[in-house]
Amino acid sequence: MHDLCASDAHFSKLFEEYHTVNRAVHTAETDVKPTSDDHISDLRKERMRLKDKIHAQLTDK
């Protein structure tokens, strides 16, 4: 993963976006930063979308 992030700017951006959204989901789920159920649901959908894109790039390599 580290090598791919270093060599592929698009993958690196997806990887960073995924971790940003994942942290947002975690803070919302643990009530560190409370938010609405709809917002958490949207964050989870975005996390899944990014995870699918990352998976697609990993399986294409």
Side-chain angles (χ1 to χ4, degrees):
M1 291 283 246
H2 177 67
D3 292 342
L4 190 54
C5 282
S7 66
D8 186 331
H10 179 67
F11 183 83
S12 181
K13 184 175 186 255
L14 283 175
F15 193 73
E16 184 56 39
E17 285 180 42
Y18 171 80
H19 285 289
T20 299
V21 172
N22 192 50
R23 283 188 293 272
V25 169
H26 176 72
T27 58
E29 288 177 340
T30 58
D31 286 332
V32 171
K33 187 176 178 184
T35 189
S36 70
D37 289 342
D38 288 339
H39 187 243
I40 293 173
S41 179
D42 290 343
L43 287 170
R44 287 178 180 149
K45 288 174 187 174
E46 178 66 8
R47 179 176 62 180
M48 183 62 72
R49 184 187 69 79
L50 290 165
K51 187 185 284 188
D52 288 346
K53 283 186 168 192
I54 290 169
H55 179 266
Q57 282 213 329
L58 289 172
T59 56
D60 286 346
K61 298 282 177 185

